[in-house]
Amino acid sequence: MKWTDSSAIARELTKKYPDIDPRQVRFTQLRGLVLELENFDDMPEHCGEKILEAIQEKWITGADEDDDE
């Protein structure tokens, strides 16, 4: 996965960290969580605020959908 794969990253974050509320995660923490994902293979310096916003938004949306079930 690369930084631009926000949906795939969000799914992996949900699987790996089911007890974390993505609304409470700071961008610096989110960056670290993404870098720890097993299938993540991109350069840390290719990450920016807009990318982290997209990942967090997808993660929140996915978490909200899970809550509705």
Side-chain angles (χ1 to χ4, degrees):
M1 287 180 294
K2 304 292 184 195
W3 286 112
T4 54
D5 300 323
S6 57
S7 293
I9 291 171
R11 282 192 299 274
E12 291 299 314
L13 289 170
T14 300
K15 289 178 193 174
K16 187 168 182 175
Y17 306 106
D19 296 330
I20 293 180
D21 180 353
R23 293 172 199 84
Q24 303 300 319
V25 176
R26 294 180 316 256
F27 285 158
T28 53
Q29 183 183 13
L30 177 57
R31 183 178 181 273
L33 295 174
V34 172
L35 290 172
E36 291 176 8
L37 293 175
E38 185 175 325
N39 295 325
F40 184 77
D41 183 30
D42 203 350
M43 300 178 78
E45 60 270 14
H46 289 173
C47 174
E49 188 173 327
K50 288 186 186 248
I51 288 172
L52 292 171
E53 284 176 1
I55 293 168
Q56 189 174 39
E57 182 179 332
K58 298 279 186 177
W59 192 10
I60 290 169
T61 302
D64 286 344
E65 289 172 1
D66 289 344
D67 288 345
D68 291 342
E69 293 176 5

Short mmCIF file of all heavy atoms in Angstrom, two decimals:
data_model
loop_
_atom_site.label_atom_id
_atom_site.label_comp_id
_atom_site.label_asym_id
_atom_site.label_seq_id
_atom_site.Cartn_x
_atom_site.Cartn_y
_atom_site.Cartn_z
N MET A 1 0.83 -1.19 0.00
CA MET A 1 0.00 0.00 0.00
C MET A 1 0.87 1.24 0.00
O MET A 1 1.95 1.25 0.59
CB MET A 1 -0.88 0.04 1.25
CG MET A 1 -2.02 -0.94 1.25
SD MET A 1 -3.01 -0.82 2.77
CE MET A 1 -1.85 -1.37 3.98
N LYS A 2 0.37 2.25 -0.64
CA LYS A 2 1.03 3.55 -0.68
C LYS A 2 0.16 4.57 0.06
O LYS A 2 -1.00 4.31 0.36
CB LYS A 2 1.23 4.01 -2.13
CG LYS A 2 2.00 3.02 -2.99
CD LYS A 2 3.42 2.92 -2.55
CE LYS A 2 4.21 1.99 -3.48
NZ LYS A 2 5.46 1.58 -2.92
N TRP A 3 0.70 5.75 0.32
CA TRP A 3 -0.04 6.79 1.03
C TRP A 3 -1.36 7.13 0.35
O TRP A 3 -2.32 7.50 1.02
CB TRP A 3 0.81 8.06 1.17
CG TRP A 3 1.90 7.95 2.17
CD1 TRP A 3 3.24 7.94 1.91
CD2 TRP A 3 1.78 7.82 3.59
NE1 TRP A 3 3.95 7.81 3.08
CE2 TRP A 3 3.07 7.75 4.13
CE3 TRP A 3 0.68 7.78 4.46
CZ2 TRP A 3 3.31 7.62 5.50
CZ3 TRP A 3 0.93 7.65 5.83
CH2 TRP A 3 2.21 7.58 6.33
N THR A 4 -1.40 7.02 -0.96
CA THR A 4 -2.62 7.40 -1.70
C THR A 4 -3.71 6.34 -1.64
O THR A 4 -4.82 6.59 -2.09
CB THR A 4 -2.27 7.70 -3.16
OG1 THR A 4 -1.57 6.58 -3.71
CG2 THR A 4 -1.41 8.95 -3.27
N ASP A 5 -3.43 5.19 -1.07
CA ASP A 5 -4.42 4.11 -0.95
C ASP A 5 -5.23 4.28 0.34
O ASP A 5 -5.26 3.40 1.20
CB ASP A 5 -3.72 2.75 -0.96
CG ASP A 5 -2.94 2.49 -2.23
OD1 ASP A 5 -3.41 2.91 -3.31
OD2 ASP A 5 -1.85 1.88 -2.15
N SER A 6 -5.91 5.41 0.48
CA SER A 6 -6.55 5.75 1.74
C SER A 6 -7.62 4.75 2.17
O SER A 6 -7.72 4.42 3.34
CB SER A 6 -7.13 7.17 1.70
OG SER A 6 -8.05 7.30 0.64
N SER A 7 -8.41 4.24 1.24
CA SER A 7 -9.44 3.26 1.61
C SER A 7 -8.83 1.96 2.12
O SER A 7 -9.27 1.42 3.14
CB SER A 7 -10.36 2.97 0.41
OG SER A 7 -11.10 4.11 0.08
N ALA A 8 -7.82 1.46 1.44
CA ALA A 8 -7.16 0.23 1.85
C ALA A 8 -6.47 0.42 3.21
O ALA A 8 -6.53 -0.45 4.08
CB ALA A 8 -6.16 -0.22 0.80
N ILE A 9 -5.84 1.57 3.39
CA ILE A 9 -5.18 1.86 4.66
C ILE A 9 -6.21 1.91 5.78
O ILE A 9 -6.01 1.34 6.86
CB ILE A 9 -4.38 3.18 4.58
CG1 ILE A 9 -3.17 3.00 3.67
CG2 ILE A 9 -3.95 3.64 5.97
CD1 ILE A 9 -2.43 4.29 3.33
N ALA A 10 -7.34 2.58 5.53
CA ALA A 10 -8.39 2.67 6.55
C ALA A 10 -8.92 1.29 6.94
O ALA A 10 -9.13 1.01 8.12
CB ALA A 10 -9.53 3.55 6.05
N ARG A 11 -9.11 0.41 5.96
CA ARG A 11 -9.56 -0.95 6.26
C ARG A 11 -8.55 -1.69 7.12
O ARG A 11 -8.91 -2.37 8.09
CB ARG A 11 -9.80 -1.73 4.97
CG ARG A 11 -11.11 -1.39 4.28
CD ARG A 11 -11.44 -2.37 3.17
NE ARG A 11 -10.44 -2.39 2.11
CZ ARG A 11 -10.44 -1.55 1.07
NH1 ARG A 11 -11.37 -0.64 0.94
NH2 ARG A 11 -9.49 -1.64 0.15
N GLU A 12 -7.27 -1.55 6.80
CA GLU A 12 -6.22 -2.22 7.57
C GLU A 12 -6.12 -1.65 8.99
O GLU A 12 -5.91 -2.40 9.94
CB GLU A 12 -4.87 -2.10 6.86
CG GLU A 12 -4.79 -2.92 5.58
CD GLU A 12 -4.98 -4.40 5.82
OE1 GLU A 12 -4.35 -4.96 6.75
OE2 GLU A 12 -5.75 -5.02 5.07
N LEU A 13 -6.29 -0.33 9.12
CA LEU A 13 -6.27 0.28 10.45
C LEU A 13 -7.43 -0.24 11.30
O LEU A 13 -7.26 -0.52 12.48
CB LEU A 13 -6.35 1.81 10.34
CG LEU A 13 -5.10 2.50 9.80
CD1 LEU A 13 -5.39 3.96 9.51
CD2 LEU A 13 -3.93 2.37 10.77
N THR A 14 -8.59 -0.39 10.69
CA THR A 14 -9.77 -0.90 11.39
C THR A 14 -9.52 -2.33 11.88
O THR A 14 -9.88 -2.67 13.01
CB THR A 14 -11.01 -0.86 10.47
OG1 THR A 14 -11.25 0.50 10.09
CG2 THR A 14 -12.24 -1.41 11.17
N LYS A 15 -8.89 -3.14 11.05
CA LYS A 15 -8.59 -4.52 11.42
C LYS A 15 -7.53 -4.59 12.53
O LYS A 15 -7.68 -5.35 13.49
CB LYS A 15 -8.08 -5.31 10.22
CG LYS A 15 -9.12 -5.62 9.19
CD LYS A 15 -8.49 -6.36 8.02
CE LYS A 15 -9.40 -6.42 6.82
NZ LYS A 15 -8.73 -7.02 5.66
N LYS A 16 -6.47 -3.81 12.38
CA LYS A 16 -5.35 -3.89 13.32
C LYS A 16 -5.63 -3.18 14.64
O LYS A 16 -5.13 -3.61 15.69
CB LYS A 16 -4.09 -3.31 12.68
CG LYS A 16 -2.86 -3.51 13.54
CD LYS A 16 -1.58 -3.22 12.81
CE LYS A 16 -0.40 -3.49 13.74
NZ LYS A 16 0.87 -3.35 13.07
N TYR A 17 -6.43 -2.11 14.59
CA TYR A 17 -6.68 -1.31 15.79
C TYR A 17 -8.18 -1.13 16.02
O TYR A 17 -8.69 -0.01 16.00
CB TYR A 17 -6.02 0.06 15.65
CG TYR A 17 -4.55 -0.01 15.33
CD1 TYR A 17 -4.07 0.29 14.06
CD2 TYR A 17 -3.62 -0.37 16.32
CE1 TYR A 17 -2.71 0.22 13.78
CE2 TYR A 17 -2.27 -0.43 16.04
CZ TYR A 17 -1.83 -0.14 14.77
OH TYR A 17 -0.49 -0.20 14.49
N PRO A 18 -8.92 -2.23 16.27
CA PRO A 18 -10.38 -2.13 16.41
C PRO A 18 -10.83 -1.31 17.62
O PRO A 18 -11.95 -0.80 17.63
CB PRO A 18 -10.82 -3.59 16.53
CG PRO A 18 -9.63 -4.31 17.06
CD PRO A 18 -8.44 -3.59 16.48
N ASP A 19 -9.97 -1.15 18.61
CA ASP A 19 -10.36 -0.44 19.83
C ASP A 19 -9.99 1.05 19.81
O ASP A 19 -10.28 1.77 20.76
CB ASP A 19 -9.71 -1.10 21.05
CG ASP A 19 -10.22 -2.53 21.25
OD1 ASP A 19 -11.38 -2.80 20.88
OD2 ASP A 19 -9.45 -3.36 21.75
N ILE A 20 -9.37 1.49 18.73
CA ILE A 20 -9.00 2.91 18.63
C ILE A 20 -10.11 3.68 17.93
O ILE A 20 -10.59 3.27 16.87
CB ILE A 20 -7.67 3.09 17.87
CG1 ILE A 20 -6.51 2.50 18.67
CG2 ILE A 20 -7.41 4.57 17.57
CD1 ILE A 20 -5.16 2.62 17.99
N ASP A 21 -10.53 4.80 18.54
CA ASP A 21 -11.51 5.69 17.92
C ASP A 21 -10.74 6.63 17.00
O ASP A 21 -9.97 7.47 17.48
CB ASP A 21 -12.25 6.48 18.99
CG ASP A 21 -13.30 7.42 18.41
OD1 ASP A 21 -13.38 7.58 17.17
OD2 ASP A 21 -14.05 7.99 19.21
N PRO A 22 -10.94 6.52 15.68
CA PRO A 22 -10.17 7.35 14.76
C PRO A 22 -10.40 8.85 14.94
O PRO A 22 -9.57 9.66 14.53
CB PRO A 22 -10.62 6.89 13.38
CG PRO A 22 -11.88 6.14 13.58
CD PRO A 22 -11.86 5.62 14.98
N ARG A 23 -11.50 9.23 15.58
CA ARG A 23 -11.76 10.65 15.83
C ARG A 23 -10.82 11.23 16.88
O ARG A 23 -10.65 12.44 16.98
CB ARG A 23 -13.20 10.85 16.31
CG ARG A 23 -14.24 10.54 15.27
CD ARG A 23 -15.64 10.59 15.91
NE ARG A 23 -16.61 9.90 15.11
CZ ARG A 23 -16.84 8.59 15.13
NH1 ARG A 23 -16.17 7.80 15.93
NH2 ARG A 23 -17.76 8.06 14.36
N GLN A 24 -10.22 10.35 17.68
CA GLN A 24 -9.33 10.78 18.77
C GLN A 24 -7.85 10.72 18.41
O GLN A 24 -6.99 11.01 19.24
CB GLN A 24 -9.58 9.90 20.00
CG GLN A 24 -11.02 9.90 20.48
CD GLN A 24 -11.50 11.28 20.88
OE1 GLN A 24 -10.78 12.05 21.51
NE2 GLN A 24 -12.71 11.61 20.49
N VAL A 25 -7.55 10.34 17.18
CA VAL A 25 -6.16 10.15 16.75
C VAL A 25 -5.61 11.43 16.14
O VAL A 25 -6.21 12.01 15.23
CB VAL A 25 -6.07 8.98 15.73
CG1 VAL A 25 -4.65 8.82 15.21
CG2 VAL A 25 -6.55 7.69 16.36
N ARG A 26 -4.47 11.88 16.65
CA ARG A 26 -3.78 13.04 16.07
C ARG A 26 -3.04 12.58 14.81
O ARG A 26 -2.72 11.40 14.65
CB ARG A 26 -2.77 13.61 17.07
CG ARG A 26 -3.40 14.21 18.30
CD ARG A 26 -2.29 14.75 19.20
NE ARG A 26 -1.18 13.82 19.31
CZ ARG A 26 -0.94 13.05 20.37
NH1 ARG A 26 -1.69 13.13 21.42
NH2 ARG A 26 0.10 12.22 20.36
N PHE A 27 -2.76 13.51 13.92
CA PHE A 27 -2.09 13.17 12.67
C PHE A 27 -0.72 12.54 12.90
O PHE A 27 -0.32 11.63 12.19
CB PHE A 27 -1.96 14.38 11.75
CG PHE A 27 -3.25 14.77 11.08
CD1 PHE A 27 -3.42 16.05 10.61
CD2 PHE A 27 -4.28 13.88 10.91
CE1 PHE A 27 -4.59 16.43 9.98
CE2 PHE A 27 -5.46 14.24 10.29
CZ PHE A 27 -5.61 15.52 9.82
N THR A 28 0.01 13.02 13.90
CA THR A 28 1.33 12.43 14.16
C THR A 28 1.19 10.97 14.59
O THR A 28 1.98 10.11 14.18
CB THR A 28 2.07 13.22 15.25
OG1 THR A 28 1.24 13.35 16.41
CG2 THR A 28 2.47 14.60 14.77
N GLN A 29 0.17 10.68 15.37
CA GLN A 29 -0.09 9.30 15.79
C GLN A 29 -0.57 8.46 14.60
O GLN A 29 -0.13 7.32 14.42
CB GLN A 29 -1.14 9.30 16.90
CG GLN A 29 -1.43 7.93 17.47
CD GLN A 29 -2.51 7.96 18.53
OE1 GLN A 29 -3.23 8.95 18.69
NE2 GLN A 29 -2.66 6.87 19.25
N LEU A 30 -1.46 9.03 13.79
CA LEU A 30 -1.98 8.33 12.62
C LEU A 30 -0.84 7.94 11.68
O LEU A 30 -0.79 6.82 11.18
CB LEU A 30 -3.02 9.18 11.90
CG LEU A 30 -3.60 8.62 10.61
CD1 LEU A 30 -4.26 7.25 10.86
CD2 LEU A 30 -4.60 9.60 10.01
N ARG A 31 0.05 8.84 11.45
CA ARG A 31 1.21 8.57 10.58
C ARG A 31 1.98 7.37 11.09
O ARG A 31 2.35 6.47 10.33
CB ARG A 31 2.10 9.81 10.52
CG ARG A 31 3.28 9.69 9.59
CD ARG A 31 4.06 11.02 9.60
NE ARG A 31 5.19 10.97 8.70
CZ ARG A 31 6.40 10.52 9.03
NH1 ARG A 31 6.62 10.06 10.25
NH2 ARG A 31 7.38 10.52 8.16
N GLY A 32 2.22 7.32 12.39
CA GLY A 32 2.94 6.20 12.97
C GLY A 32 2.18 4.88 12.84
O GLY A 32 2.78 3.84 12.55
N LEU A 33 0.87 4.92 13.03
CA LEU A 33 0.05 3.71 12.89
C LEU A 33 0.10 3.18 11.47
O LEU A 33 0.20 1.97 11.26
CB LEU A 33 -1.40 4.00 13.29
CG LEU A 33 -1.64 4.36 14.76
CD1 LEU A 33 -3.10 4.75 14.97
CD2 LEU A 33 -1.25 3.23 15.68
N VAL A 34 0.04 4.08 10.51
CA VAL A 34 0.10 3.66 9.10
C VAL A 34 1.46 3.04 8.79
O VAL A 34 1.54 1.98 8.15
CB VAL A 34 -0.19 4.85 8.15
CG1 VAL A 34 0.06 4.46 6.70
CG2 VAL A 34 -1.61 5.36 8.33
N LEU A 35 2.51 3.66 9.26
CA LEU A 35 3.86 3.14 9.00
C LEU A 35 4.07 1.76 9.60
O LEU A 35 4.88 0.98 9.11
CB LEU A 35 4.92 4.11 9.52
CG LEU A 35 5.03 5.43 8.76
CD1 LEU A 35 5.96 6.39 9.50
CD2 LEU A 35 5.49 5.21 7.33
N GLU A 36 3.31 1.41 10.64
CA GLU A 36 3.42 0.10 11.28
C GLU A 36 2.63 -1.00 10.56
O GLU A 36 2.80 -2.17 10.86
CB GLU A 36 2.94 0.18 12.73
CG GLU A 36 3.84 0.98 13.62
CD GLU A 36 3.30 1.13 15.03
OE1 GLU A 36 2.28 0.48 15.36
OE2 GLU A 36 3.89 1.89 15.80
N LEU A 37 1.77 -0.63 9.62
CA LEU A 37 0.98 -1.64 8.92
C LEU A 37 1.88 -2.56 8.10
O LEU A 37 2.79 -2.11 7.40
CB LEU A 37 -0.05 -0.98 8.00
CG LEU A 37 -1.16 -0.20 8.68
CD1 LEU A 37 -2.03 0.51 7.65
CD2 LEU A 37 -2.01 -1.11 9.55
N GLU A 38 1.59 -3.84 8.17
CA GLU A 38 2.44 -4.84 7.53
C GLU A 38 2.55 -4.66 6.02
O GLU A 38 3.63 -4.80 5.45
CB GLU A 38 1.88 -6.24 7.83
CG GLU A 38 2.74 -7.36 7.32
CD GLU A 38 2.20 -8.71 7.73
OE1 GLU A 38 1.66 -8.84 8.83
OE2 GLU A 38 2.34 -9.65 6.93
N ASN A 39 1.46 -4.35 5.36
CA ASN A 39 1.45 -4.24 3.89
C ASN A 39 1.77 -2.84 3.38
O ASN A 39 1.71 -2.60 2.18
CB ASN A 39 0.09 -4.68 3.34
CG ASN A 39 -0.16 -6.15 3.60
OD1 ASN A 39 0.76 -6.96 3.58
ND2 ASN A 39 -1.40 -6.50 3.87
N PHE A 40 2.11 -1.93 4.29
CA PHE A 40 2.41 -0.57 3.87
C PHE A 40 3.84 -0.49 3.38
O PHE A 40 4.77 -0.94 4.04
CB PHE A 40 2.20 0.42 5.02
CG PHE A 40 2.40 1.83 4.59
CD1 PHE A 40 1.42 2.49 3.88
CD2 PHE A 40 3.57 2.50 4.87
CE1 PHE A 40 1.61 3.80 3.44
CE2 PHE A 40 3.78 3.79 4.45
CZ PHE A 40 2.79 4.44 3.74
N ASP A 41 4.00 0.08 2.17
CA ASP A 41 5.33 0.16 1.57
C ASP A 41 5.47 1.47 0.80
O ASP A 41 5.34 1.49 -0.42
CB ASP A 41 5.55 -1.04 0.64
CG ASP A 41 6.93 -1.06 0.03
OD1 ASP A 41 7.87 -0.57 0.68
OD2 ASP A 41 7.08 -1.56 -1.10
N ASP A 42 5.68 2.53 1.53
CA ASP A 42 5.89 3.82 0.90
C ASP A 42 6.86 4.61 1.78
O ASP A 42 7.11 4.25 2.92
CB ASP A 42 4.57 4.58 0.73
CG ASP A 42 4.61 5.62 -0.37
OD1 ASP A 42 5.71 5.91 -0.90
OD2 ASP A 42 3.56 6.17 -0.73
N MET A 43 7.37 5.66 1.24
CA MET A 43 8.36 6.47 1.94
C MET A 43 7.65 7.41 2.92
O MET A 43 6.69 8.09 2.54
CB MET A 43 9.20 7.24 0.95
CG MET A 43 9.94 6.32 -0.02
SD MET A 43 10.90 7.23 -1.23
CE MET A 43 12.30 7.66 -0.21
N PRO A 44 8.12 7.45 4.17
CA PRO A 44 7.48 8.31 5.17
C PRO A 44 7.39 9.77 4.75
O PRO A 44 6.39 10.44 5.04
CB PRO A 44 8.38 8.16 6.40
CG PRO A 44 9.03 6.83 6.22
CD PRO A 44 9.20 6.66 4.73
N GLU A 45 8.37 10.24 4.03
CA GLU A 45 8.38 11.66 3.64
C GLU A 45 7.36 11.99 2.54
O GLU A 45 7.15 13.16 2.23
CB GLU A 45 9.78 12.12 3.23
CG GLU A 45 10.37 11.38 2.07
CD GLU A 45 11.17 10.14 2.46
OE1 GLU A 45 11.07 9.67 3.60
OE2 GLU A 45 11.89 9.64 1.59
N HIS A 46 6.73 10.99 1.96
CA HIS A 46 5.70 11.24 0.95
C HIS A 46 4.33 11.54 1.58
O HIS A 46 3.35 11.70 0.86
CB HIS A 46 5.57 10.05 0.00
CG HIS A 46 6.73 9.91 -0.91
ND1 HIS A 46 6.88 8.84 -1.75
CD2 HIS A 46 7.81 10.69 -1.13
CE1 HIS A 46 7.99 8.98 -2.44
NE2 HIS A 46 8.58 10.10 -2.08
N CYS A 47 4.30 11.60 2.87
CA CYS A 47 3.04 11.84 3.59
C CYS A 47 2.90 13.32 3.93
O CYS A 47 3.84 13.98 4.32
CB CYS A 47 3.07 11.02 4.88
SG CYS A 47 1.69 11.33 5.95
N GLY A 48 1.66 13.81 3.78
CA GLY A 48 1.34 15.18 4.15
C GLY A 48 -0.01 15.24 4.85
O GLY A 48 -0.72 14.24 4.99
N GLU A 49 -0.35 16.43 5.28
CA GLU A 49 -1.59 16.63 6.04
C GLU A 49 -2.83 16.21 5.24
O GLU A 49 -3.73 15.58 5.78
CB GLU A 49 -1.71 18.08 6.48
CG GLU A 49 -2.86 18.32 7.42
CD GLU A 49 -2.87 19.73 7.99
OE1 GLU A 49 -1.80 20.32 8.20
OE2 GLU A 49 -3.99 20.23 8.23
N LYS A 50 -2.87 16.54 3.95
CA LYS A 50 -4.04 16.18 3.14
C LYS A 50 -4.20 14.67 3.02
O LYS A 50 -5.31 14.15 3.04
CB LYS A 50 -3.95 16.82 1.76
CG LYS A 50 -4.18 18.30 1.78
CD LYS A 50 -4.23 18.87 0.38
CE LYS A 50 -4.31 20.38 0.47
NZ LYS A 50 -5.56 20.91 0.03
N ILE A 51 -3.11 13.97 2.91
CA ILE A 51 -3.16 12.50 2.83
C ILE A 51 -3.67 11.93 4.15
O ILE A 51 -4.54 11.05 4.16
CB ILE A 51 -1.77 11.94 2.48
CG1 ILE A 51 -1.44 12.25 1.03
CG2 ILE A 51 -1.70 10.44 2.75
CD1 ILE A 51 -0.04 11.91 0.60
N LEU A 52 -3.16 12.44 5.26
CA LEU A 52 -3.61 11.96 6.56
C LEU A 52 -5.08 12.28 6.79
O LEU A 52 -5.81 11.47 7.37
CB LEU A 52 -2.73 12.55 7.67
CG LEU A 52 -1.29 12.05 7.69
CD1 LEU A 52 -0.46 12.85 8.67
CD2 LEU A 52 -1.23 10.56 8.02
N GLU A 53 -5.52 13.45 6.34
CA GLU A 53 -6.95 13.80 6.45
C GLU A 53 -7.81 12.79 5.69
O GLU A 53 -8.85 12.36 6.18
CB GLU A 53 -7.20 15.19 5.89
CG GLU A 53 -6.78 16.32 6.78
CD GLU A 53 -6.97 17.69 6.14
OE1 GLU A 53 -7.47 17.77 4.99
OE2 GLU A 53 -6.63 18.68 6.79
N ALA A 54 -7.38 12.44 4.49
CA ALA A 54 -8.14 11.48 3.67
C ALA A 54 -8.20 10.12 4.34
O ALA A 54 -9.26 9.47 4.38
CB ALA A 54 -7.52 11.36 2.28
N ILE A 55 -7.08 9.67 4.88
CA ILE A 55 -7.05 8.37 5.57
C ILE A 55 -7.95 8.41 6.79
O ILE A 55 -8.76 7.49 7.00
CB ILE A 55 -5.60 8.01 5.97
CG1 ILE A 55 -4.75 7.76 4.73
CG2 ILE A 55 -5.59 6.80 6.91
CD1 ILE A 55 -3.26 7.67 5.01
N GLN A 56 -7.85 9.46 7.58
CA GLN A 56 -8.66 9.56 8.79
C GLN A 56 -10.14 9.62 8.46
O GLN A 56 -10.96 8.97 9.12
CB GLN A 56 -8.24 10.76 9.62
CG GLN A 56 -8.91 10.78 10.99
CD GLN A 56 -8.38 11.89 11.86
OE1 GLN A 56 -8.13 13.00 11.39
NE2 GLN A 56 -8.19 11.61 13.14
N GLU A 57 -10.50 10.36 7.42
CA GLU A 57 -11.90 10.45 7.01
C GLU A 57 -12.44 9.08 6.61
O GLU A 57 -13.54 8.68 7.01
CB GLU A 57 -12.04 11.43 5.85
CG GLU A 57 -13.47 11.61 5.40
CD GLU A 57 -13.60 12.60 4.26
OE1 GLU A 57 -12.76 13.51 4.17
OE2 GLU A 57 -14.53 12.45 3.48
N LYS A 58 -11.66 8.33 5.83
CA LYS A 58 -12.09 6.98 5.42
C LYS A 58 -12.19 6.06 6.64
O LYS A 58 -13.10 5.24 6.73
CB LYS A 58 -11.11 6.38 4.42
CG LYS A 58 -10.99 7.13 3.14
CD LYS A 58 -12.11 6.79 2.21
CE LYS A 58 -11.85 7.49 0.87
NZ LYS A 58 -12.83 7.16 -0.11
N TRP A 59 -11.26 6.19 7.57
CA TRP A 59 -11.28 5.37 8.77
C TRP A 59 -12.52 5.68 9.61
O TRP A 59 -13.20 4.79 10.09
CB TRP A 59 -9.99 5.60 9.55
CG TRP A 59 -9.71 4.62 10.66
CD1 TRP A 59 -10.37 3.45 10.93
CD2 TRP A 59 -8.68 4.72 11.64
NE1 TRP A 59 -9.81 2.83 12.02
CE2 TRP A 59 -8.77 3.59 12.48
CE3 TRP A 59 -7.69 5.65 11.89
CZ2 TRP A 59 -7.90 3.37 13.54
CZ3 TRP A 59 -6.83 5.43 12.94
CH2 TRP A 59 -6.93 4.30 13.77
N ILE A 60 -12.83 6.97 9.77
CA ILE A 60 -14.01 7.37 10.53
C ILE A 60 -15.28 6.88 9.84
O ILE A 60 -16.17 6.32 10.49
CB ILE A 60 -14.05 8.90 10.70
CG1 ILE A 60 -12.94 9.34 11.67
CG2 ILE A 60 -15.43 9.37 11.19
CD1 ILE A 60 -12.71 10.83 11.71
N THR A 61 -15.36 7.05 8.54
CA THR A 61 -16.54 6.62 7.78
C THR A 61 -16.74 5.12 7.93
O THR A 61 -17.86 4.66 8.16
CB THR A 61 -16.38 6.98 6.29
OG1 THR A 61 -16.21 8.39 6.19
CG2 THR A 61 -17.60 6.58 5.50
N GLY A 62 -15.66 4.37 7.82
CA GLY A 62 -15.75 2.92 8.00
C GLY A 62 -16.17 2.54 9.39
O GLY A 62 -16.99 1.64 9.59
N ALA A 63 -15.65 3.25 10.40
CA ALA A 63 -16.02 2.98 11.78
C ALA A 63 -17.49 3.31 12.02
O ALA A 63 -18.20 2.58 12.69
CB ALA A 63 -15.13 3.78 12.74
N ASP A 64 -17.96 4.40 11.41
CA ASP A 64 -19.37 4.77 11.54
C ASP A 64 -20.27 3.73 10.91
O ASP A 64 -21.31 3.37 11.44
CB ASP A 64 -19.64 6.13 10.88
CG ASP A 64 -19.10 7.29 11.71
OD1 ASP A 64 -18.79 7.08 12.91
OD2 ASP A 64 -18.98 8.39 11.17
N GLU A 65 -19.87 3.20 9.76
CA GLU A 65 -20.66 2.16 9.08
C GLU A 65 -20.73 0.90 9.92
O GLU A 65 -21.75 0.26 10.03
CB GLU A 65 -20.08 1.87 7.69
CG GLU A 65 -20.30 3.00 6.72
CD GLU A 65 -19.56 2.82 5.42
OE1 GLU A 65 -18.87 1.78 5.24
OE2 GLU A 65 -19.65 3.71 4.57
N ASP A 66 -19.62 0.55 10.58
CA ASP A 66 -19.61 -0.63 11.45
C ASP A 66 -20.53 -0.43 12.64
O ASP A 66 -21.19 -1.35 13.11
CB ASP A 66 -18.19 -0.92 11.95
CG ASP A 66 -17.29 -1.46 10.84
OD1 ASP A 66 -17.82 -1.89 9.78
OD2 ASP A 66 -16.07 -1.45 11.02
N ASP A 67 -20.60 0.80 13.18
CA ASP A 67 -21.47 1.08 14.31
C ASP A 67 -22.94 0.94 13.95
O ASP A 67 -23.77 0.63 14.81
CB ASP A 67 -21.22 2.52 14.84
CG ASP A 67 -19.88 2.64 15.56
OD1 ASP A 67 -19.29 1.59 15.89
OD2 ASP A 67 -19.45 3.77 15.78
N ASP A 68 -23.27 1.19 12.69
CA ASP A 68 -24.67 1.13 12.25
C ASP A 68 -25.17 -0.31 12.13
O ASP A 68 -26.36 -0.54 12.10
CB ASP A 68 -24.84 1.82 10.89
CG ASP A 68 -24.65 3.33 11.01
OD1 ASP A 68 -24.73 3.85 12.14
OD2 ASP A 68 -24.40 3.97 9.97
N GLU A 69 -24.27 -1.27 12.07
CA GLU A 69 -24.68 -2.67 11.88
C GLU A 69 -25.14 -3.28 13.19
O GLU A 69 -24.87 -2.90 14.23
CB GLU A 69 -23.52 -3.48 11.29
CG GLU A 69 -23.20 -3.02 9.89
CD GLU A 69 -21.99 -3.74 9.32
OE1 GLU A 69 -21.44 -4.65 9.97
OE2 GLU A 69 -21.58 -3.38 8.22
#
